[in-house]
Amino acid sequence: GGAKMLGGLEYHHQNFMRRFELLTPMYGRQAAFIKHALGQLPDQQPFPASSDAERVILDELNHEAIAYINRLGQFFTFAKSCGAESFLPRAAELMLFRHKHTAHRSIDAPRREDTSHLQEVHAMSFGFHHLGVASFPIFQIHDQTRVVDFHMRDDHALVMIQAFDALQSIHHISQ
């Protein structure tokens, strides 16, 4: 079952990356704008808006990221039930997204949140804006003490390495 869950992670990662590639023109326009603005050149134009088609793709990125986090939560729970969660430190960090936004939203069903502001921030983790790092969308969520970033491209490789280590541990434990 664990291998199927990891297959689901790969599926959502590939879907995310394919859709992201479709946004290359949008990120190019934004990068050109920033380069122009940093050069303080005359004729400053407004920040380039995304097209209707690009906004659809951005929305699809949110759906894939949410599905990825939920599938990761499924695998994390499986590994935890087998005593292998210590192999998954990055997944453990990303579970904040699942616990506060994707499995349920803290604004709808609070669990130990003491401020409505924090609940609103949780609710905006996906779908309201993307933090862009080197023209790549990053998702953020906050709790009382920290900010956790989810970078699909970079996190996926680490998550998969750690998940394979967890599976190997579970296999050795069960023999």
Side-chain angles (χ1 to χ4, degrees):
K4 290 284 188 188
M5 294 174 209
L6 297 183
L9 288 176
E10 185 62 30
Y11 171 82
H12 293 299
H13 173 259
Q14 287 178 5
N15 284 346
F16 186 98
M17 295 308 295
R18 275 194 295 272
R19 285 175 171 83
F20 168 73
E21 292 300 321
L22 297 173
L23 295 175
T24 300
M26 180 190 79
Y27 285 116
R29 290 191 314 273
Q30 291 175 357
F33 170 85
I34 291 168
K35 183 178 179 183
H36 187 82
L38 290 176
Q40 299 179 351
L41 301 174
D43 301 334
Q44 186 63 34
Q45 300 294 318
F47 190 78
S50 52
S51 69
D52 289 342
E54 290 164 339
R55 283 190 292 280
V56 167
I57 295 167
L58 287 167
D59 194 42
E60 292 169 347
L61 292 180
N62 294 323
H63 291 303
E64 289 299 336
I66 289 168
Y68 184 95
I69 292 292
N70 278 336
R71 198 62 151 155
L72 181 60
Q74 185 183 32
F75 183 80
F76 185 78
T77 301
F78 160 71
K80 190 174 179 180
S81 74
C82 296
E85 73 271 17
S86 64
F87 290 92
L88 302 168
R90 185 60 185 148
E93 291 172 343
L94 293 173
M95 286 303 95
L96 183 61
F97 283 98
R98 188 164 195 254
H99 298 319
K100 302 300 179 189
H101 185 90
T102 67
H104 84 286
R105 295 183 326 152
S106 65
I107 200 167
D108 300 325
R111 295 183 186 164
R112 295 185 292 271
E113 291 82 27
D114 61 0
T115 68
S116 62
H117 172 71
L118 188 57
Q119 293 166 351
E120 290 172 8
V121 170
H122 292 164
M124 293 187 296
S125 294
F126 296 95
F128 287 88
H129 71 282
H130 293 108
L131 173 66
V133 175
S135 297
F136 196 87
I138 308 297
F139 304 94
Q140 271 190 344
I141 196 162
H142 304 252
D143 70 6
Q144 298 291 348
T145 60
R146 64 191 168 132
V147 175
V148 176
D149 292 340
F150 173 41
H151 187 300
M152 176 70 83
R153 183 183 59 215
D154 294 351
D155 281 329
H156 178 67
L158 178 59
V159 163
M160 293 302 277
I161 289 167
Q162 292 177 355
F164 284 122
D165 289 346
L167 278 180
Q168 186 175 26
S169 170
I170 291 166
H171 177 69
H172 289 303
I173 292 169
S174 65
Q175 288 185 359

